Amino acid sequence: MFSRSLSPAKSYFSKSCILKEHRRNAQVSIIGAANGIGSNLALLLKRNNNITRLNLYDDSEEVLSIGSDLSELPGGPRVASYSGYSFLPASIRSSHLIVMVSRIPRKPGYTRDQMLAANAPAVHRLCQTMAEINPDAVLAISTNPINSILPFASSLLFKYCAYDSAKIFGITQIDTARAKAYAAKALNVNPRHLYVPVIGGHSDETTVPLFSNMTPSHYKLDSCQADTLTKLVKKSGMEVVRHKQGVDSSTLAMAWSINEFVENMVEALYGGATVVNTFTANPHFGTRFFSGPTKIGCYGIVESCGANFHMSEYERVILGKAISQLNKEVGLGEEYARMEA
Ligand code: LMR
């Protein structure tokens, strides 16, 4: 049944550009704005002059102090903050982009199923509210486990007749940021000039950095370096959790990479075409959802990541394993949505 929903619920061509006709009016909501990722993301977005209004929502009242703190800063978007479930509709009503960073962070020994069970209720509430109040907005989610949460949210929006596969994104920009940082360090070059595509999903088993496709192409890593850096990218998230003694996961790097995603998305909504690393509906790899470099424009996805990379044998093997794991995790999210129905 769900495969039907892989094509956008509304015709691509009947849609009007989300923002193009109303230049300089991008409104963005952060859901989970009082946690470590959300508050740092809010600070970064306060510097973005392409955003006119930043709506901060959190279940916790702490969001109100974050809002008043940011409102002391001149320039950038106007900031409004909302606390408590009854204010969730108001916090997303007029937004073009809704960024969900709410989450119970990963912990040592925590399974993907436990993480899904912990984070699904907040995602469910948002999808239901969005379907009622603002079904045309773009939804971008960084809540883990992304490999299951995105299929879960997509199935729920489909159920509430508000699904558009071109407008729902799992934010996996962190993986390409990490790959770029580690490659730049290994090569002793400026990361600004490097790009490393990362495909698959967002978990130790499913994240597949393609160092063989790094650009500019004259930068090369030998197979031993590529193997070491691949393992490093896969393990990075858990390494930070260990350093924080299980209390939290990566917050600053997540905020930085989500900010990069939002900057690109807002640019795209204004009519520019850009590329982001994101987990979306994508049938090209034998899974229903897949992450990779994705072209976006003012309607959302313009072109999802295709299977046209020249990979090393090593990358081909880890991608094969990632795809079978990804299918299980996608299925888990869809099944979870069926159970909630
Ligand atoms: C990471 O890779 O560090 C993130 O997925 C962490 C998180 O819990 O958001």
Side-chain angles (χ1 to χ4, degrees):
M1 165 217 130
F2 188 67
S3 59
R4 205 160 52 85
S5 66
L6 280 176
S7 49
K10 296 166 204 154
S11 156
Y12 185 90
F13 296 103
S14 69
K15 279 182 279 183
S16 62
C17 227
I18 300 171
L19 264 169
K20 205 173 175 181
E21 300 90 33
H22 316 285
R23 283 196 79 86
R24 310 213 49 77
N25 182 31
Q27 303 200 24
V28 176
S29 295
I30 303 177
I31 309 301
N35 68 42
I37 297 175
S39 54
N40 283 294
L41 176 62
L43 177 61
L44 294 169
L45 291 182
K46 178 69 177 146
R47 294 170 58 95
N48 189 328
N49 287 318
N50 280 330
I51 302 173
T52 50
R53 188 181 166 103
L54 189 56
N55 296 309
L56 309 180
Y57 172 85
D58 206 289
D59 292 339
S60 145
E61 280 187 10
E62 211 183 315
V63 74
L64 303 178
S65 58
I66 291 168
S68 60
D69 201 349
L70 286 177
S71 296
E72 292 175 3
L73 298 174
R78 258 185 315 129
V79 178
S81 40
Y82 304 85
S83 146
Y85 180 43
S86 56
F87 287 98
L88 181 59
S91 74
I92 63 164
R93 191 182 306 279
S94 55
S95 289
H96 304 97
L97 170 62
I98 300 169
V99 185
M100 170 129 203
V101 301
S102 290
R103 91 269 201 257
I104 311 286
R106 35 168 134 175
K107 297 185 201 318
Y110 220 39
T111 65
R112 296 262 136 194
D113 304 29
Q114 285 170 311
M115 222 190 304
L116 176 60
N119 283 321
V123 176
H124 195 159
R125 279 187 298 159
L126 176 63
C127 289
Q128 202 161 9
T129 310
M130 206 181 139
E132 283 164 17
I133 300 281
N134 187 359
D136 290 329
V138 169
L139 174 61
I141 305 178
S142 79
T143 305
N144 269 319
I146 292 180
N147 295 351
S148 303
I149 285 284
L150 206 79
F152 172 70
S154 301
S155 301
L156 290 176
L157 289 174
F158 185 73
K159 178 181 141 203
Y160 298 133
C161 301
Y163 179 61
D164 183 341
S165 62
K167 291 208 249 162
I168 173 162
F169 299 85
I171 311 173
T172 54
Q173 193 79 11
I174 183 73
D175 295 316
T176 185
R178 284 171 172 152
K180 189 187 201 173
Y182 302 154
K185 199 166 170 201
L187 294 164
N188 198 19
V189 297
N190 187 336
R192 277 182 64 182
H193 306 307
L194 275 190
Y195 174 66
V196 183
V198 180
I199 63 171
H202 180 70
S203 69
D204 298 4
E205 304 92 329
T206 62
T207 301
V208 182
L210 298 180
F211 288 106
S212 66
N213 284 252
M214 180 165 59
T215 54
S217 55
H218 59 267
Y219 289 129
K220 301 267 183 248
L221 295 170
D222 63 39
S223 57
C224 178
Q225 284 175 310
D227 176 45
T228 306
L229 297 194
T230 298
K231 289 182 178 138
L232 205 55
V233 172
K234 285 169 171 286
K235 296 272 171 242
S236 287
M238 228 33 231
E239 269 310 291
V240 178
V241 173
R242 231 188 314 275
H243 282 127
K244 294 188 179 179
Q245 289 161 355
V247 175
D248 205 346
S249 54
S250 173
T251 49
L252 298 176
M254 281 298 289
W256 189 93
S257 62
I258 297 170
N259 175 57
E260 203 171 61
F261 175 91
V262 173
E263 275 180 0
N264 279 285
M265 181 58 78
V266 170
E267 197 57 49
L269 295 181
Y270 279 133
T274 62
V275 175
V276 284
N277 218 79
T278 176
F279 185 67
T280 63
N282 180 332
H284 304 310
F285 291 83
T287 61
R288 289 185 288 285
F289 290 83
F290 198 80
S291 180
T294 304
K295 272 193 205 150
I296 52 170
C298 68
Y299 306 102
I301 297 174
V302 173
E303 193 181 337
S304 50
C305 171
N308 46 4
F309 297 101
H310 294 288
M311 289 180 231
S312 66
E313 189 49 32
Y314 172 71
E315 289 165 350
R316 218 183 303 281
V317 170
I318 57 172
L319 177 61
K321 289 187 188 148
I323 286 173
S324 56
Q325 180 64 24
L326 201 45
N327 274 324
K328 287 186 205 143
E329 295 181 13
V330 166
L332 189 70
E334 290 171 346
E335 182 55 30
Y336 214 82
R338 269 192 289 274
M339 278 162 28
E340 300 249 312

